[in-house]
Amino acid sequence: MKYKIALLPGDGVGEEVIQQAKKCLEAVEEVFHHEFIFQIGVIGAKAINTYETALPKDTLRICKNSDAILVGTIGNHKFNNNPVAEVRPEHGLIQLRKELGLYANIRPLRIFPSLVDKSPLKADIIKGTDMLIFRELSSGIYYQNKEDATKAQSASDVCKYTEEEISRIAHLAFKAAKNRNNRVTLIDKANVLNSSKLWRKVVRDIAQSYPDVALEYQFVDHAAMKMIAAPNRYDVVLTENMFGDILADESSMISGAVNTLPSASVGEKQALFQPVHGPYTELKDKDLVNPVATILATAMLLEHFRLFEEAMAVREAVDKSIAKGIVTKDLDANSQYGTNHVGDFIANHILGHDDRINMNNENIDLGKSTII
Ligand code: IPM
Ligand code: MG
């Protein structure tokens, strides 16, 4: 099959991680006889520098004209200390979500058995954790009725939701739960916020159509504690935009391996995939950044194309690299492997060409370099 994939490397280490992900997609292309047509677009700080906007028209056009979008990382700390900057790198992403109607952000949290000791939590607390967060992405406080802080003495952001906005993501969450462990936890602040009361009403009604799925409610402050105390009790988590932003980052710490976590942002027509981690500007061009989160984002992208066998090949290759200790220094301080080598290992594994890079299993098991 033929697919058009937009690649938006963005800022910082984005270019490097996208290159590794592209290598893996090319390996999938070869093994499974597909044709991937890549189109590159600029976004974020890099776009601001040249076009004075974080989302140039050309980039939006490329995205609209593609079957899926793969984003690297966006942001630059030089914008962080200016709260009234008119353009900011991350506005590119916020605008893209709106323009493309990407209303659901989906973040899986999975613990790699060999990385259990990376977690700041005890092994028996995180044991069995397998969570899927559905965060509403195109409405709520991020988008509704904003009063500009640059022009007045006061400022406001309004959190408003419609039934339709809640129901479309709720259905996605319940459908996902049906294929997993049949549990949805709706996280809100319904003891205080009217928008949360609407979430409860709409989600409770939708739950009637999914009799096999148990629905529970949690207030967001309580959930923030529970997620750390007992992360393995969650299956599918459903929440609004800002609570989701915060809880998704909290959950990413549970694994202790944030650089292995991907995310998907989906709408009716388009879908965008990216790593959860930030631009790590200080690591740029040093061959140090971990490419795994972006490579796993491509596995989610392939699943979106319903290429399940292909996605599995990518996941198996990543599992193998982690199990064999072919990882970057963030996962093993003694590792001698860089971004490129990890990407090559994973791509070669997909190609079934493990021998070509002179892998010696005995050395790999000992954690020694296998490059001859
Ligand atoms: C995320 C990020 C973005 C958000 C930023 C970069 C605007 O934190 O995707 O979670 O807040 O949604
Ligand atoms: Mg965030």
Side-chain angles (χ1 to χ4, degrees):
M1 288 275 290
K2 216 175 185 172
Y3 299 92
K4 283 192 267 180
I5 302 175
L7 299 179
L8 314 186
D11 307 313
V13 294
E15 188 73 52
E16 288 164 81
V17 290
I18 287 283
Q19 279 315 319
Q20 306 314 313
K22 184 163 173 264
K23 253 183 222 171
C24 295
L25 282 169
E26 282 163 351
V28 166
E29 204 178 10
E30 189 175 324
V31 175
F32 295 91
H33 311 292
H34 297 300
E35 191 183 341
F36 297 143
I37 301 153
F38 298 106
Q39 281 182 295
I40 319 268
V42 281
I43 192 166
K46 202 169 169 191
I48 294 176
N49 293 340
T50 324
Y51 303 95
E52 287 168 18
T53 165
L55 181 66
K57 282 204 184 74
D58 253 5
T59 303
L60 183 60
R61 188 184 46 77
I62 289 170
C63 291
K64 283 192 170 163
N65 183 31
S66 68
D67 299 308
I69 303 154
L70 185 65
V71 176
T73 57
I74 295 178
N76 186 301
H77 46 74
K78 84 172 189 224
F79 292 86
N80 284 355
N81 296 326
N82 180 6
V84 292
E86 298 246 323
V87 279
R88 291 183 57 92
E90 52 276 50
H91 288 171
L93 195 57
I94 304 253
Q95 240 178 297
L96 197 55
R97 289 171 181 167
K98 197 68 185 173
E99 291 279 352
L100 303 180
L102 307 176
Y103 65 81
N105 180 243
I106 306 166
R107 284 214 205 176
L109 176 67
R110 206 184 123 207
I111 315 275
F112 289 94
S114 63
L115 298 180
V116 166
D117 65 333
K118 295 279 142 212
S119 173
L121 302 177
K122 295 194 182 82
D124 41 317
I125 291 201
I126 63 167
K127 204 164 127 206
T129 297
D130 181 1
M131 198 189 299
L132 192 60
I133 300 184
F134 281 79
R135 162 191 174 194
E136 201 291 325
L137 200 63
S138 63
S139 185
I141 201 164
Y142 270 55
Y143 290 98
Q144 301 290 341
N145 294 349
K146 293 187 164 295
E147 266 180 8
D148 195 340
T150 55
K151 294 186 186 123
Q153 298 282 305
S154 69
S156 66
D157 305 276
V158 175
C159 184
K160 181 173 172 187
Y161 271 105
T162 64
E163 289 194 2
E164 166 58 21
E165 285 165 346
I166 298 168
S167 102
R168 61 189 180 183
I169 186 170
H171 279 292
L172 289 187
F174 276 94
K175 280 182 193 145
K178 257 176 81 171
N179 292 322
R180 294 171 46 95
N181 294 315
N182 291 304
R183 180 148 46 160
V184 171
T185 307
L186 172 64
I187 297 181
D188 61 27
K189 190 74 185 170
N191 48 348
V192 180
L193 302 179
N194 287 333
S195 53
S196 287
K197 286 178 196 153
L198 185 68
W199 271 82
R200 283 213 183 187
K201 176 174 151 300
V202 173
V203 173
R204 189 194 55 211
D205 290 350
I206 286 172
Q208 311 290 318
S209 331
Y210 300 87
D212 299 338
V213 180
L215 169 65
E216 63 167 4
Y217 309 100
Q218 268 179 14
F219 296 138
V220 63
D221 46 351
H222 182 68
M225 295 195 296
K226 267 276 181 265
M227 227 172 232
I228 297 297
N232 52 12
R233 62 175 299 294
Y234 293 95
D235 177 20
V236 170
V237 167
L238 170 63
T239 191
E240 60 94 69
N241 203 342
M242 193 161 78
F243 295 159
D245 181 41
I246 298 164
L247 291 173
D249 272 16
E250 183 185 350
S251 74
S252 72
M253 282 293 106
I254 293 167
S255 77
V258 61
N259 299 332
T260 63
L261 303 178
S263 88
S265 301
V266 306
E268 297 304 338
K269 287 202 217 108
Q270 247 91 22
L272 177 154
F273 303 85
Q274 64 185 127
V276 158
H277 65 75
Y280 294 129
T281 315
E282 68 286 1
L283 298 187
K284 187 175 159 50
D285 296 331
K286 295 204 169 124
D287 197 37
L288 287 173
V289 65
N290 189 344
V292 164
T294 317
I295 292 173
L296 287 177
T298 68
M300 291 184 91
L301 180 153
L302 293 166
E303 277 162 4
H304 173 73
F305 290 161
R306 308 196 67 73
L307 302 178
F308 297 110
E309 206 187 325
E310 290 81 341
M312 189 57 81
V314 174
R315 289 185 195 287
E316 276 173 10
V318 167
D319 283 352
K320 184 80 162 212
S321 75
I322 290 179
K324 292 283 182 195
I326 312 291
V327 294
T328 42
K329 281 186 190 300
D330 55 317
L331 296 182
D332 174 4
N334 297 320
S335 169
Q336 314 134 37
Y337 304 118
T339 311
N340 252 291
H341 185 78
V342 172
D344 282 347
F345 178 91
I346 296 170
N348 277 298
H349 195 277
I350 297 167
L351 288 168
H353 290 172
D354 296 7
D355 292 343
R356 280 203 195 157
I357 53 169
N358 295 313
M359 283 205 329
N360 173 323
N361 278 322
E362 206 177 300
N363 279 345
I364 288 173
D365 289 337
L366 290 170
K368 288 186 190 159
S369 170
T370 56
I371 308 166
I372 301 167

